[in-house]
Amino acid sequence: MTDAPARVSIAEWRSRRRQLLAAGLREPPYGGPLDRHVDDGDRRLARLLFDNSAASLRLWNFVLTEEDRLHAARAAGCRIVGAMKDLGTVPVMVFSLENVVAFYPDGAWWIPCLMEQSAGLLSVADRLGLNESFCPVRAMPGAFVTGEHFPRPDLLTCSVGATCDDFSAIAQRLEGLGYPILWWEMPHRRRPDPDEKPVALPGGLFAPAGQVAFVSGELGRVRKAIEDLAGRRLDDAALAAGIRRANRVRRLLAGLRELGFTTAVCPLPALEMLLAEMLAIHFCSDRAECIRVLEELLAEVRTRVRCGAGVLPREAVRVFWVNPVADLRVMNLLEDCGGRLCGTDFMFCHALDAIPEDVPPMEALARAAIADPMVGPSADRAERICADVRHFGAEAVVVSRIPGASHCATEGDVIARIVREKLGIPVVEIEVPPISDAIRPGLQTRLEALVETVREQRR
Amino acid sequence: MITMGSMVYSCPFVPAEWIAAHGLHPRRIRPRSPGCVQAGVCPYARAFVGAVLADDRACGVIVTTVCDQMRRAADVLVLEGRVPVFLMHVPTTWQTPAAQRYYLDELRRLGRFLTRLGGAPPSDDALAKVMLDYDEARSSAASAGAGQGVPLALLGGPLFEDECGLFDLVEDAGGRIVLDASETGERTRPAPFDRRRLREEPLLELADAYFGHIPDAFRRPDGELHVWLARELDRRLVRGIVFRRCVWCDTWAAELGRLKEWVKVPVLDLDADGGDRASRDRTAGRLRAFVEMLT
């Protein structure tokens, strides 16, 4: 730790970085001042508050330079896989080979927020008939059409079946525009019938062996496509090694979550926690560097915890957050309202759980994939949320709806109902659009009411 | 065959024959429009939940994964706990033998569910007999299209029970539906059964007639829907398409943009919000304008 932890603006980061450099900070090649990203178009950054550690600076720079990394990978002869929707499984396979990299085109859903809608991606979506009744991931086809946010992938995969209709429909629209997609099926996860062999999944769930075998077969089709693309075999040994490296990332994140959510003083702001968790799904296109970024971040957090130093007041209300926010600024808002993040379900818990290493790799990956909270019953998701709320000691839950998302229409109610029944803690539902400034007073009122309710209960 | 309680469902990928062969009464329900709109919630899924919860004759309900909102509707029905719920996964992909086998396995699992509710597993002969009866009933059903007026196709998701008046509105406007490609229309009829396979392997034939032949927007890829549609539009000399979708239905909303890129006839986009009389009056006015333009 180089200084007192604090949340600082991007303007403050300029002097803060100079201070760190003067103190001996050595940045990676993608490092540099954060405000250069604002100059490149990521205007939203100018309205955010950031953690002031060197580790967080590295994290932000790592995330915001992914496009450069993908172009560099292509220039170096690597093939690029655009993995869509499964959030955490296909990239583990891809990064098991050295001449292929993976990224999630889905990530384009944050471009309208980051660029404050200056990129015109939602206008492209409107022209394609994907209006605001779709979730903000409708920005993705625009990113393909304009070709300005990531290189065109050499292979596109998309999991469909028990997934949201928004994504399935948008991906189909994309294919209709001339981007071939390898569709693979993800069945709705269900509990095994009494006459079916149960298989334990990461995260404590069970699925019928037949479902796991089916998903393994579907991933086998993906494996074959990756092999064809790479021009080399993706054998079990390579996959097993890839799983071990992915688990290294997941263990680092588990450590970060444990310290970040359970210590008395909040050691890392919500925004950086969100960003760090996002690395789990595809390593931000560079697995080795991803591990180094997380190691540094975890070291910073450990130091802060050891010193009893945090970024928020000790009395901050401990909030569990459900679903990612389309507008990153809302993570700041939670803290401005007196809350702190103490547990998350950003729709990819399965990418945070360790992948089994004691079963054949394809089966292990299938088990991880089908543990996706979004492919099973909402009640299963709610049960896990309840377990995590207990574990992290959260005092309230925010269900953050994604505008237009097919799953959010009824799922939020189910989750809220089960959490209230099982835990008796306050739950509030909010909806966060890509730019939430216009509704900020309403969001603030709801979050403040939640915080005040918890404080009242503490008395 | 003993007829017991009724098994309700809405999705066309649920074979009524399979339920009937187990001795239960298949009842495909078309809910009435809910009369009001809830942001983000498909009015059809909402109405379906309401209809099931209000149904005191149902001994069980079958919901499928064809639509995410209906999949989530099953969560609500399970939580309410009024009636046993079977959530059937209908694969979105269709071109692999594994997907076809999965559908078949889901039918077998459905059979076990029906048995638990008092049904009896049918013999092959009994299933074949039921299938024949249904097949004959379907082939003798009157086909749309007779009469005067501008020939139109109706395309999209399911219609509410109280939306049958849509056909009258079209006729009042001077048109006629010669192709009902809505979810509740002829598009979602299973293929006629192959008589030889029906005798030899009736369940396989049943699965193939449904899963292998119903073109739908939820499938990935969805090319078969467009191939089927192009053929039928040509065959029936359709001059305009009434594209009817529920608000918040992503699957059909996205199809509209794609359809407009290749179809050679005008398309009228009607979004159904399951709302009030005013929205029905608006629909009537738009239909009149559409047909007038085609005349």
Side-chain angles (χ1 to χ4, degrees), chain A residues 333-361:
Chain A
L333 180 62
L334 169 70
E335 294 168 338
D336 297 343
C337 292
R340 65 173 278 201
L341 206 58
C342 280
T344 56
D345 175 343
F346 289 138
M347 294 173 29
F348 54 82
C349 300
H350 62 302
L352 301 174
D353 295 324
I355 305 167
E357 293 184 30
D358 57 350
V359 295

Coordinates of all heavy atoms in Angstrom, one line a residue, chain A residues 333-361:
Chain A
L333 N -22.6 4.9 -7.0 CA -23.8 5.4 -6.3 C -24.1 4.6 -5.1 O -24.5 5.2 -4.0 CB -24.9 5.4 -7.3 CG -26.3 6.0 -6.7 CD1 -26.1 7.4 -6.3 CD2 -27.4 5.8 -7.8
L334 N -23.9 3.3 -5.2 CA -24.2 2.5 -4.0 C -23.4 3.0 -2.8 O -23.9 3.1 -1.7 CB -23.8 1.0 -4.3 CG -23.8 0.1 -3.1 CD1 -25.2 -0.2 -2.5 CD2 -23.1 -1.2 -3.4
E335 N -22.1 3.2 -3.1 CA -21.2 3.7 -2.0 C -21.5 5.1 -1.6 O -21.4 5.4 -0.4 CB -19.8 3.5 -2.5 CG -19.4 2.1 -2.7 CD -18.1 1.8 -3.4 OE1 -17.6 2.7 -4.1 OE2 -17.6 0.7 -3.3
D336 N -21.9 5.9 -2.5 CA -22.3 7.3 -2.2 C -23.5 7.3 -1.2 O -23.7 8.3 -0.5 CB -22.7 8.1 -3.4 CG -21.5 8.3 -4.4 OD1 -20.3 8.1 -3.9 OD2 -21.7 8.6 -5.5
C337 N -24.3 6.3 -1.4 CA -25.6 6.2 -0.6 C -25.3 5.6 0.8 O -26.2 5.4 1.6 CB -26.6 5.4 -1.3 SG -27.3 6.3 -2.8
G338 N -24.1 5.2 1.1 CA -23.8 4.6 2.4 C -23.7 3.0 2.3 O -23.7 2.4 3.4
G339 N -23.7 2.5 1.2 CA -23.6 1.0 1.1 C -22.2 0.6 0.7 O -21.3 1.4 0.3
R340 N -21.9 -0.7 0.8 CA -20.7 -1.3 0.3 C -21.1 -2.7 -0.3 O -22.0 -3.3 0.2 CB -19.6 -1.4 1.3 CG -20.0 -2.4 2.5 CD -18.8 -2.6 3.4 NE -17.9 -3.6 2.9 CZ -17.1 -4.3 3.7 NH1 -17.0 -4.1 5.0 NH2 -16.3 -5.2 3.3
L341 N -20.3 -3.1 -1.2 CA -20.5 -4.4 -1.8 C -20.1 -5.6 -0.9 O -18.9 -5.6 -0.5 CB -19.8 -4.5 -3.2 CG -20.4 -5.4 -4.3 CD1 -21.8 -5.0 -4.6 CD2 -19.5 -5.3 -5.5
C342 N -21.0 -6.4 -0.6 CA -20.7 -7.6 0.2 C -21.3 -8.8 -0.4 O -22.2 -9.5 0.1 CB -21.1 -7.4 1.6 SG -20.0 -6.4 2.6
G343 N -20.9 -9.2 -1.6 CA -21.4 -10.3 -2.3 C -22.0 -9.9 -3.6 O -22.6 -8.8 -3.7
T344 N -21.8 -10.8 -4.6 CA -22.3 -10.5 -6.0 C -22.8 -11.7 -6.7 O -22.3 -12.8 -6.4 CB -21.2 -9.9 -6.8 OG1 -20.1 -10.8 -6.9 CG2 -20.7 -8.6 -6.3
D345 N -23.8 -11.5 -7.5 CA -24.1 -12.5 -8.5 C -24.3 -11.7 -9.8 O -25.4 -11.2 -10.1 CB -25.4 -13.3 -8.2 CG -25.8 -14.2 -9.3 OD1 -25.4 -14.1 -10.4 OD2 -26.7 -15.1 -9.0
F346 N -23.2 -11.6 -10.5 CA -23.3 -10.8 -11.8 C -23.6 -11.7 -13.0 O -23.2 -11.5 -14.1 CB -21.9 -10.2 -12.0 CG -21.6 -9.0 -11.1 CD1 -20.4 -8.8 -10.5 CD2 -22.6 -8.1 -10.7 CE1 -20.1 -7.8 -9.7 CE2 -22.3 -7.0 -9.9 CZ -21.1 -6.9 -9.3
M347 N -24.3 -12.8 -12.7 CA -24.8 -13.7 -13.7 C -23.8 -14.7 -14.2 O -24.0 -15.5 -15.2 CB -25.4 -13.0 -15.0 CG -26.6 -12.2 -14.7 SD -27.2 -11.2 -16.0 CE -26.7 -12.0 -17.5
F348 N -22.6 -14.7 -13.5 CA -21.6 -15.7 -14.0 C -20.9 -16.3 -12.8 O -19.7 -16.5 -12.8 CB -20.6 -15.1 -15.0 CG -19.9 -13.8 -14.5 CD1 -18.8 -13.9 -13.7 CD2 -20.4 -12.6 -15.0 CE1 -18.2 -12.7 -13.3 CE2 -19.8 -11.4 -14.6 CZ -18.7 -11.5 -13.7
C349 N -21.6 -16.7 -11.8 CA -21.0 -17.3 -10.6 C -20.3 -18.6 -11.0 O -19.3 -19.0 -10.4 CB -22.1 -17.8 -9.6 SG -23.1 -16.4 -9.0
H350 N -20.8 -19.2 -12.1 CA -20.1 -20.5 -12.5 C -18.7 -20.2 -13.0 O -17.9 -21.2 -13.1 CB -21.0 -21.1 -13.6 CG -21.2 -20.3 -14.8 ND1 -21.7 -19.1 -14.8 CD2 -20.8 -20.6 -16.1 CE1 -21.7 -18.6 -16.1 NE2 -21.2 -19.5 -16.9
A351 N -18.4 -19.0 -13.4 CA -17.1 -18.7 -13.9 C -16.2 -18.3 -12.7 O -15.0 -18.1 -12.9 CB -17.1 -17.5 -14.8
L352 N -16.7 -18.3 -11.5 CA -15.9 -18.0 -10.3 C -15.6 -19.3 -9.5 O -14.6 -19.3 -8.8 CB -16.6 -17.0 -9.4 CG -17.0 -15.6 -10.0 CD1 -17.8 -14.8 -9.1 CD2 -15.7 -14.9 -10.4
D353 N -16.4 -20.3 -9.7 CA -16.2 -21.5 -9.0 C -15.1 -22.3 -9.7 O -15.0 -22.3 -10.9 CB -17.5 -22.4 -9.1 CG -18.6 -21.7 -8.3 OD1 -18.4 -21.1 -7.3 OD2 -19.8 -21.8 -8.7
A354 N -14.3 -23.0 -8.9 CA -13.2 -23.8 -9.5 C -13.8 -24.9 -10.4 O -14.8 -25.6 -10.0 CB -12.4 -24.5 -8.3
I355 N -13.2 -25.1 -11.5 CA -13.6 -26.2 -12.4 C -13.0 -27.5 -11.8 O -11.8 -27.5 -11.5 CB -13.0 -26.0 -13.8 CG1 -13.5 -24.6 -14.3 CG2 -13.5 -27.1 -14.8 CD1 -12.8 -24.1 -15.6
P356 N -13.8 -28.6 -11.8 CA -13.2 -29.8 -11.2 C -11.9 -30.3 -12.0 O -11.9 -30.2 -13.2 CB -14.3 -30.9 -11.4 CG -15.6 -30.0 -11.6 CD -15.2 -28.8 -12.2
E357 N -11.0 -30.7 -11.2 CA -9.7 -31.2 -11.8 C -9.5 -32.7 -11.7 O -8.5 -33.3 -12.1 CB -8.5 -30.5 -11.2 CG -8.5 -29.0 -11.5 CD -7.3 -28.2 -11.0 OE1 -6.2 -28.9 -10.9 OE2 -7.4 -27.0 -10.7
D358 N -10.5 -33.3 -11.1 CA -10.4 -34.8 -10.8 C -11.3 -35.6 -11.7 O -11.6 -36.8 -11.4 CB -10.8 -35.1 -9.3 CG -12.2 -34.6 -8.9 OD1 -12.8 -33.8 -9.8 OD2 -12.6 -34.9 -7.8
V359 N -11.8 -35.0 -12.8 CA -12.6 -35.8 -13.8 C -12.0 -35.4 -15.2 O -11.3 -34.4 -15.3 CB -14.1 -35.4 -13.7 CG1 -14.7 -35.8 -12.4 CG2 -14.3 -33.9 -13.9
P360 N -12.4 -36.2 -16.2 CA -11.9 -35.8 -17.5 C -12.2 -34.4 -17.9 O -13.3 -33.9 -17.5 CB -12.6 -36.8 -18.4 CG -12.9 -38.0 -17.5 CD -13.1 -37.4 -16.2
P361 N -11.3 -33.7 -18.6 CA -11.5 -32.2 -18.8 C -12.8 -31.8 -19.5 O -13.4 -30.8 -19.1 CB -10.3 -31.8 -19.6 CG -9.6 -33.0 -19.9 CD -10.0 -34.2 -19.1

